[in-house]
């Protein structure tokens, strides 16, 4: 059965040409308030007319309120809420789609008028319209996070042209041009930071409220807010290719990929609705052959109740809304699902395979240990850093991050020994910095304890005497350990680490994280083979977490592919099913919890809708339920289901 939104706004005056839409990103409070009032005006009018009519009927206040006057009164009350429904039913009928909820509501309420149940006919349509308004409000609430993202889209860019900065549309800026972003402004396009440093608020992109401090030549992304000083950025992507544009497109189109539950309910409704219509016809006429005191009006009334109850509104409204709420809640937490189907798939995951570098480690070298022998540590590091200042190697950069007190030492006569290290003179002393081969070549004895160190190690000798060493390692992410613990708590017992790094390092990281199964020294195709082996067991439902760059084959082969830090990665956007916008592995646990909460609410709504409907259907066919019970079974259950689905927007998954 097709679910199409009732458009009570059709009763409003048409927009004049050039008038702003209220969803165009502009903030016009007064027109928006007027629009909201106009939206509710038909329902308010019908409600006032209905209550007044019922009061007059009940108290018999006006003797003339009978006959055609009473009919006209309730007809006027019916039209504002009933006309849009009847029109939609007629449009669907012309297209060949007969068994829509609009058709059912129209037949049921018009039938109520025919048998003289005017207040009930108006009430059914009024409550249905109110249900639609609640639905729209719930959908708008669920879309709140996406609207926040839409608001992040910058409206202008200050680009450097002809010796001055001019304000233009972001779409008009070309790759390679320089743009300026003032304090408090949004970065309009992806680029490279030209200024020395910047502090950015990336909350709308990553879900993280903590400002991000970056240095010159670091990547910046459209939608981030500049916090401290005026900065300049060189544009690297056109506006339509920017991270914010791709994320918006991804989130807005996520609902297009329906979950199996959602597809099943819609297919079920197409079969269920015509069956109920024919059963209602049967309820009207079949008793004529079996009941002695058959009264057509009574059985028609039961059939109309049957029709009202039969509308699967609660299902076709609340189930998509439940998934939409889950998608919105996830994106609010910096997690992008490419569709509702992956929310479902995530709930079934029992095996998690993860990459190491960039997933549970930061992917950058850091000093892990400094061991000075016969020297003060600070002085030892000053000698080492004096030589490393002459190198551009990543290990040298890590060493230079060490904060040594006192004046910096200067190195002279520095030379690089290919494949071994550096040699130079510092404070009149000859200093050697490099690997064991360099020490051996200069007849310097190295302590045996260095043999057992699996990480990268820098050996130092001063005046032909071994002076110590520095251990350099890839640093674990702050939340890596708690992620593994939390995964075990949510029932993911089978966790495996696959890495292209040395097996010894991979095993050490796995041991630190309490991961029992780990393999290192793997090429991308080796990782794929490992996942394929796991897939041979049909009970394994596998999620793979990688950085989205060299893990594309494994991301695609898994039941759910999860890309870490996919904000700037084309491969992650294209290949992964779920994208963690930050580099926090703990967000994977949150994604699992959000998925499970979503599925739980969806099934609560299904059970609620079916349970109440079956009970009231039986009561209605037996003449024990009135049109008012029918209204509750239809609109009331739909409202309860909607309110239940909206809970997703308020939940916390810490």
């Amino acid at each position: 059965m097709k679910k199409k939104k009732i458009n009570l706004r059709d009763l409003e005056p048409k927009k004049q040409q050039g008038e702003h839409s209220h969803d165009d990103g502009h903030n016009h409070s007064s027109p928006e308030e007027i629009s909201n009032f106009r939206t509710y005006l038909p329902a308010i009018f019908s409600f006032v007319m209905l209550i007044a009519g019922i009061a007059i009927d009940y108290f018999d206040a006006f003797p003339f309120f009978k006959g055609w006057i009473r009919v006209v009164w309730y007809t006027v009350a019916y039209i504002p809420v009933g006309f849009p429904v009847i029109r939609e039913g007629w449009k669907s009928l012309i297209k060949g789609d007969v068994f829509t909820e609009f058709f059912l509501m129209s037949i049921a309420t018009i039938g109520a008028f025919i048998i003289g149940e005017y207040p009930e006919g108006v009430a059914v349509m009024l409550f249905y319209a109110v249900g639609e308004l609640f639905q729209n409000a719930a959908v708008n609430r669920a879309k709140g996070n996406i609207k926040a993202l839409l608001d992040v889209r910058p409206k202008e860019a200050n680009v450097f042209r002809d010796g001055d900065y001019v304000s233009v549309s972001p779409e008009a800026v070309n790759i390679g041009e320089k743009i300026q972003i003032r304090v408090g402004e949004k970065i309009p396009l992806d680029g490279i930071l030209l200024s020395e440093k910047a502090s950015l608020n990336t909350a709308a992109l990553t879900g993280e409220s903590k400002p991000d401090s970056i240095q010159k030549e670091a990547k910046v992304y459209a939608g981030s807010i500049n916090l401290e000083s005026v900065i300049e950025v060189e544009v690297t992507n056109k506006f339509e290719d920017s991270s914010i544009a791709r994320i918006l497109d991804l989130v807005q189109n996520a609902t297009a990929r329906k979950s199996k539950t959602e597809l099943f309910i819609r297919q079920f409704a197409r079969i269920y609705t015509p069956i109920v219509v024919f059963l209602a016809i049967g309820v009207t006429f079949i008793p004529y052959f079996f009941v002695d005191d058959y009264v057509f009006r009574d059985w028609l009334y039961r059939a109309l109740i049957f029709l009202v109850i039969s509308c699967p509104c609660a299902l076709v409204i609340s189930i998509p809304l439940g998934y939409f709420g889950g998608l919105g809640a996830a994106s609010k937490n910096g997690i992008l699902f490419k569709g509702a189907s992956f929310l479902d798939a995530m709930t079934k995951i029992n095996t998690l395979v993860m990459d190491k570098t960039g997933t549970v480690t930061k992917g950058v070298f850091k000093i892990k240990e400094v061991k000075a022998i016969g020297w003060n540590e600070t002085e030892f590091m000053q000698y080492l850093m004096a030589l490393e200042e002459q190198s551009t190697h990543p290990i040298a950069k890590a060493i230079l991050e060490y904060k040594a007190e006192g004046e910096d030492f200067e190195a002279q006569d520095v030379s690089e020994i290919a494949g071994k290290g550096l040699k130079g003179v510092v404070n009149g002393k000859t200093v050697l910095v490099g690997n064991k081969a360099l020490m051996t070549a200069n007849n310097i004895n190295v302590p045996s304890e260095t043999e057992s160190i699996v990480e990268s190690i820098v050996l130092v000798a001063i005046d032909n005497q071994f002076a110590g060493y520095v251990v350099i390692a890839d640093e674990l992410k702050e939340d890596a350990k708690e992620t593994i613990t939390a995964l075990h708590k949510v029932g993911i017992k089978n966790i495996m680490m696959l890495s292209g790094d040395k097996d010894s390092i991979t095993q050490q990281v796995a041991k630190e994280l309490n991961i029992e199964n780990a393999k290192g020294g793997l090429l991308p195709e080796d990782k794929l083979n490992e996942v394929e082996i796991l897939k041979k067991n049909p009970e394994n439902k596998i999620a793979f977490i990688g950085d989205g760059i060299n893990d594309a084959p494994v991301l695609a082969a898994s039941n759910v592919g999860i890309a870490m830090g996919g904000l700037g990665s084309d491969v992650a956007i294209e290949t992964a099913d779920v994208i963690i916008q930050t580099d926090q592995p703990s967000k994977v646990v949150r994604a699992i919890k959000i998925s499970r909460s979503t599925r739980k609410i969806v099934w609560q709504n299904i059970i609620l809708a079916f349970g109440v409907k079956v009970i009231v259907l039986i009561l209605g066919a037996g003449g024990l339920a009135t049109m008012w019970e029918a209204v509750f079974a239809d609109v009331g259950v739909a409202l309860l289901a909607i309110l239940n689905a909206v809970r997703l927007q308020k939940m916390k998954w810490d």
Side-chain angles (χ1 to χ4, degrees):
M1 185 189 78
K2 287 184 180 177
K3 168 68 185 158
K4 188 175 179 183
K5 186 172 72 174
I6 269 195
N7 193 0
L8 291 175
R9 291 189 180 91
D10 288 333
L11 298 176
E12 303 171 20
K14 297 293 183 184
K15 285 187 178 76
Q16 297 298 316
Q17 189 173 2
E19 183 178 337
H20 282 303
S21 163
H22 297 294
D23 289 327
D24 66 357
H26 296 284
N27 185 15
H28 307 306
S29 58
S30 296
E32 191 169 336
E33 289 172 6
I34 293 170
S35 175
N36 288 336
F37 178 74
R38 286 177 177 174
T39 301
Y40 290 95
L41 186 58
I44 294 170
F45 177 81
S46 292
F47 176 74
V48 172
M49 291 285 289
L50 174 63
I51 294 300
I54 291 173
I56 294 170
D57 278 338
Y58 183 79
F59 294 107
D60 198 18
F62 301 104
F64 63 84
F65 192 69
K66 293 177 182 177
W68 67 269
I69 294 177
R70 186 168 180 265
V71 174
V72 169
W73 182 276
Y74 283 113
T75 301
V76 171
Y78 177 86
I79 288 173
V81 290
F83 178 72
V85 179
I86 294 172
R87 186 178 58 190
E88 292 297 338
W90 177 252
K91 286 180 180 178
S92 299
L93 196 63
I94 292 174
K95 293 177 183 177
D97 194 4
V98 178
F99 299 108
T100 63
E101 64 190 81
F102 308 118
F103 174 78
L104 294 182
M105 299 303 292
S106 300
I107 294 298
T109 54
I110 291 171
F113 266 74
I114 291 172
I115 62 175
E117 301 290 347
Y118 311 123
E120 292 184 353
V122 176
V124 169
M125 198 60 84
L126 172 62
F127 283 119
Y128 180 76
V130 171
E132 287 291 320
L133 292 171
F134 266 85
Q135 177 203 348
N136 294 342
V139 169
N140 289 336
R141 189 183 186 92
K143 283 184 176 179
N145 184 60
I146 294 172
K147 284 191 174 184
L149 276 176
L150 289 171
D151 289 339
V152 167
R153 288 184 301 184
K155 306 297 187 296
E156 60 182 31
N158 293 317
V159 61
F160 190 76
R161 290 176 180 172
D162 300 325
D164 197 9
Y165 283 100
V166 292
S167 181
V168 300
S169 168
E171 288 89 344
V173 180
N174 298 315
I175 293 173
E177 289 194 289
K178 183 169 69 173
I179 58 175
Q180 184 187 73
I181 303 95
R182 292 184 283 267
V183 177
E185 290 183 342
K186 297 163 188 169
I187 296 176
L189 300 129
D190 292 353
I192 300 294
L193 182 65
L194 298 177
S195 303
E196 289 301 319
K197 62 179 181 177
S199 179
L200 306 177
N201 179 347
T202 61
L205 302 175
T206 64
E208 292 302 310
S209 57
K210 184 181 177 182
D212 185 16
S213 297
I214 60 170
Q215 303 299 317
K216 186 176 181 178
E217 297 186 358
K219 290 182 179 180
V220 297
Y221 299 106
S224 303
I225 299 173
N226 182 25
L227 296 178
E228 287 186 354
S229 58
V230 177
I231 60 172
E232 293 179 340
V233 171
E234 181 182 327
V235 176
T236 56
N237 285 329
K238 287 195 171 185
F239 181 75
E240 59 267 26
D241 298 324
S242 66
S243 298
I244 188 67
R246 288 180 297 169
I247 291 168
L248 286 170
D249 180 67
L250 179 62
V251 177
Q252 287 179 298
N253 293 318
T255 50
R257 300 186 75 162
K258 306 294 183 186
S259 69
K260 289 183 179 180
T261 309
E262 204 172 343
L263 293 172
F264 167 75
I265 291 299
R266 289 182 176 273
Q267 291 167 354
F268 172 81
R270 287 188 173 275
I271 300 168
Y272 159 87
T273 307
I275 289 174
V276 171
V277 170
F278 289 117
L279 284 175
I281 294 171
V283 168
T284 306
F285 296 106
I286 291 176
Y288 174 79
F289 302 101
F290 301 98
V291 178
D292 294 333
D293 56 346
Y294 174 82
V295 178
F296 174 76
R297 184 185 180 283
D298 292 344
W299 288 99
L300 175 61
Y301 181 70
R302 294 185 186 185
L304 294 174
I305 293 171
F306 201 79
L307 279 179
V308 173
I309 300 167
S310 72
C311 287
C313 302
L315 293 173
V316 297
I317 291 172
S318 65
I319 292 172
L321 182 61
Y323 282 110
F324 195 91
L327 292 169
S331 60
K332 186 177 180 180
N333 281 274
I335 305 161
L336 297 181
F337 283 86
K338 280 194 174 179
S341 57
F342 299 116
L343 274 167
D344 267 350
M346 188 67 93
T347 64
K348 300 171 185 173
I349 295 302
N350 56 24
T351 301
L352 193 68
V353 182
M354 60 174 62
D355 181 34
K356 179 183 74 69
T357 308
T359 300
V360 293
T361 66
K362 294 182 178 179
V364 291
F365 286 115
K366 292 284 184 182
I367 295 176
K368 184 178 179 181
E369 182 185 358
V370 176
K371 182 68 178 288
I373 299 174
W375 290 86
N376 171 274
E377 181 181 308
T378 300
E379 191 176 9
F380 166 78
M381 287 300 298
Q382 286 175 315
Y383 277 101
L384 171 58
M385 292 165 67
L387 253 66
E388 293 291 7
E389 281 181 349
Q390 311 298 317
S391 174
T392 58
H393 194 279
I395 288 179
K397 290 182 178 180
I399 290 172
L400 292 174
E401 288 183 5
Y402 184 90
K403 305 299 181 186
E405 296 179 358
E407 295 182 6
D408 293 339
F409 290 178
E410 289 187 11
Q412 297 174 334
D413 301 328
V414 178
S415 60
E416 183 174 350
I417 303 167
K420 295 180 181 178
L422 299 171
K423 182 179 181 179
V425 177
V426 180
N427 289 351
K429 299 180 185 295
T430 301
V431 180
L432 297 171
V433 172
N435 56 23
K436 188 176 181 180
L438 178 65
M439 300 294 128
T440 303
N442 287 273
N443 299 315
I444 296 170
N445 294 322
V446 178
S448 58
E449 66 186 76
T450 60
E451 301 292 336
S452 60
I453 298 173
V454 297
E455 295 97 339
S456 299
I457 183 170
V458 177
L459 306 175
V460 181
I462 301 175
D463 276 349
N464 293 318
Q465 293 293 319
F466 187 76
Y469 59 86
V470 176
V471 178
I472 307 293
D474 190 358
E475 190 178 12
L476 281 176
K477 291 181 180 177
E478 288 80 0
D479 60 341
K481 289 184 179 180
E482 68 181 66
T483 298
I484 303 304
T485 303
L487 284 168
H488 286 305
K489 286 182 179 179
V490 297
I492 310 296
K493 303 300 183 185
N494 189 9
I495 301 174
M496 184 177 189
M497 180 184 289
L498 303 177
S499 177
D501 205 347
K502 289 193 299 183
D503 187 61
S504 57
I505 295 177
T506 302
Q507 297 298 337
Q508 182 169 333
V509 171
K511 185 177 180 180
E512 284 186 60
L513 295 177
N514 197 26
I515 297 174
E516 294 181 0
N517 196 355
K519 292 184 179 181
L522 302 177
L523 297 172
E525 54 266 34
D526 298 325
K527 294 182 183 180
L528 181 60
N529 290 336
E530 293 291 337
V531 170
E532 292 292 350
I533 292 170
L534 289 172
K535 286 177 69 177
K536 288 180 180 179
N537 182 351
E539 292 184 4
N540 287 336
K541 302 299 179 185
I542 304 163
F544 179 85
I545 314 170
D547 58 16
I549 297 170
N550 57 1
D551 293 321
V554 203
L555 285 167
S558 306
N559 297 103
V560 179
I562 305 171
M564 292 292 299
L567 185 61
S569 170
D570 291 324
V571 178
I573 294 288
E574 294 297 326
T575 311
D577 307 312
V578 182
I579 298 166
I580 307 298
Q581 290 177 249
T582 64
D583 281 330
Q584 296 170 286
S586 58
K587 288 289 182 77
V588 175
V589 180
R590 193 169 298 182
I592 293 171
K593 290 180 178 179
I594 290 172
S595 300
R596 291 177 179 177
S597 295
T598 302
R599 187 167 178 81
K600 183 179 179 181
I601 279 179
V602 165
W603 277 103
Q604 284 174 352
N605 286 347
I606 290 172
I607 294 168
L608 173 69
F610 273 120
V612 174
K613 279 188 182 294
V614 167
I615 293 169
V616 184
L617 275 170
I618 295 169
L619 293 175
L624 300 175
T626 67
M627 194 73 81
W628 298 103
E629 280 86 358
V631 169
F632 172 76
D634 177 44
V635 181
V637 173
L639 288 176
L640 290 175
I642 289 168
L643 292 173
N644 191 34
V646 167
R647 286 196 304 126
L648 279 166
Q649 300 300 307
K650 294 289 186 182
M651 287 185 179
K652 302 292 182 184
W653 296 275
D654 295 326

